[in-house]
Amino acid sequence: MNSTTMRRAGLSIAVAAALTGVAACGSSGGGDSDAKGKKKGSVALSPIAALRTIENKTDNADSAKVEGKTVMGTQMSMDMKGVMGWKDGVTGEVTATLTGGTAADQMEQLGQSTIDYRYLPDAYYANMGDKFASQSGGKHWIEYDYATLAEMGGAAGEAFKDQMQNTTPNQSVKMLLASGDVKRVGQEKVRGTEATHYSGTVDVADLTGKNTDLDAEQMSELKKQFKQAGMSTEKIDIWVNGDDLLVKKTEKADMKTGSFSQTVYYSDYGTPVSAEKPPASDTMSFKDLMNQQPQA
């Protein structure tokens, strides 16, 4: 198998990592930095108290339709749409359409601009299309087992595993709770729905470390990788409807390759999710794929 095929297999990891921004890793905790509250009936709630209610309501909703856009500097611009569930581990089906950047150029060589993803609690699967299948023994799908990715990726692999297995909408709420820098911005319309806007800034490496079981050496390695990427802080904004459910989220950060931004909309909470593992006969594991890479 040639190196171009390998790069495309790695590309689907990068896209999947970006897709986890539909709800990035977070942590509960943090302090209230704003005295303004959210009115609920006759009770005024502080932003922290309101966010804790929102966190619980969104977590208990079990599933939602998701739609959004991600831009990662010169590397990637991508639209995504699908459904995600989180009742018994993360499950779902999402289609990513690459619209620009080097990632889109790589996919163009495969004769397609989209990747279909299926998420199951222990692994996710990427359909790389017919041209990829012609170069990989007729198999369209790559299996990315989370435990294997963690073993192969060191500290970053462990963090990635945790992120992929915890991509629930309320994680962005947890990030705001952990930031110690959350404030209520005000009331705004989101696609015609009245929503309350909250905003805060988080330390990316510090927050990731709080939510993984990394030892001191692994944490040091992870912080070094964030530094090399040029990402230190991330601004998070969320919009919440009258039922205390997340309806929109944005994340923004600076990287060495340009700006990172992601906007995601959530709707139809409780929608059915029926992601299925692709047929074994049409699937190749990422580990096996990497083992086919020619040795230097």
Side-chain angles (χ1 to χ4, degrees):
M1 189 169 294
N2 60 46
S3 60
T4 301
T5 302
M6 295 295 180
R7 286 197 299 272
R8 290 164 189 159
L11 166 65
S12 65
I13 294 183
V15 176
L19 286 174
T20 63
V22 299
C25 293
S27 167
S28 58
D32 186 352
S33 62
D34 188 8
K36 292 182 292 182
K38 173 188 175 185
K39 290 284 187 178
K40 188 171 184 180
S42 59
V43 181
L45 298 178
S46 73
I48 292 296
L51 287 176
R52 293 200 185 284
T53 299
I54 294 159
E55 176 192 357
N56 291 330
K57 287 289 292 289
T58 301
D59 184 45
N60 291 332
D62 293 342
S63 65
K65 290 182 180 179
V66 294
E67 178 184 350
K69 184 177 186 66
T70 301
V71 177
M72 298 179 67
T74 59
Q75 296 171 299
M76 177 194 309
S77 62
M78 173 187 71
D79 296 333
M80 54 78 65
K81 190 173 185 178
V83 59
M84 298 293 289
W86 51 91
K87 182 178 181 180
D88 298 306
V90 173
T91 58
E93 293 186 332
V94 175
T95 296
T97 302
L98 295 159
T99 58
T102 54
D105 294 338
Q106 290 183 43
M107 285 303 295
E108 188 176 346
Q109 295 176 40
L110 281 176
Q112 64 184 72
S113 60
T114 64
I115 304 177
D116 290 327
Y117 286 91
R118 293 183 188 177
Y119 292 87
L120 295 172
D122 298 322
Y124 75 91
Y125 301 82
N127 188 332
M128 301 301 290
D130 292 337
K131 190 169 182 179
F132 177 86
S134 71
Q135 301 169 351
S136 59
K139 300 181 187 297
H140 293 80
W141 294 86
I142 304 175
E143 177 190 47
Y144 297 88
D145 174 80
Y146 296 139
T148 300
L149 290 175
E151 291 173 7
M152 295 172 66
E158 285 289 346
F160 179 73
K161 173 188 174 183
D162 182 79
Q163 185 179 21
M164 293 297 292
Q165 291 185 304
N166 292 281
T167 101
T168 62
N170 72 329
Q171 296 301 320
S172 57
V173 182
K174 291 181 179 181
M175 290 177 78
L176 284 178
L177 284 167
S179 71
D181 181 39
V182 60
K183 63 181 179 180
R184 178 179 179 268
V185 179
Q187 296 296 117
E188 300 171 14
K189 293 270 189 177
V190 175
R191 293 185 167 181
T193 298
E194 192 73 23
T196 304
H197 179 186
Y198 297 90
S199 181
T201 301
V202 303
D203 182 302
V204 177
D206 181 60
L207 194 61
T208 302
K210 289 178 181 177
N211 293 279
T212 58
D213 295 323
L214 303 181
D215 58 30
E217 183 178 350
Q218 290 173 321
M219 193 60 222
S220 176
E221 178 189 340
L222 187 64
K223 286 186 175 182
K224 186 184 299 181
Q225 292 173 344
F226 277 121
K227 185 176 181 180
Q228 289 172 344
M231 182 182 288
S232 58
T233 61
E234 185 174 47
K235 184 175 183 291
I236 299 174
D237 291 81
I238 65 169
W239 289 259
V240 182
N241 67 15
D243 294 323
D244 290 320
L245 293 171
L246 200 66
V247 292
K248 179 183 176 183
K249 180 207 69 172
T250 66
E251 295 183 31
K252 296 180 181 179
D254 291 325
M255 306 184 303
K256 285 186 178 178
T257 57
S259 297
F260 165 79
S261 66
Q262 183 174 75
T263 300
V264 181
Y265 295 92
Y266 303 91
S267 64
D268 298 282
Y269 280 92
T271 194
V273 181
S274 58
E276 296 183 359
K277 185 176 180 178
S281 60
D282 197 24
T283 304
M284 172 180 285
S285 74
F286 180 64
K287 185 174 183 179
D288 287 345
L289 189 63
M290 294 304 293
N291 286 338
Q292 293 181 18
Q293 185 170 9
Q295 299 297 312

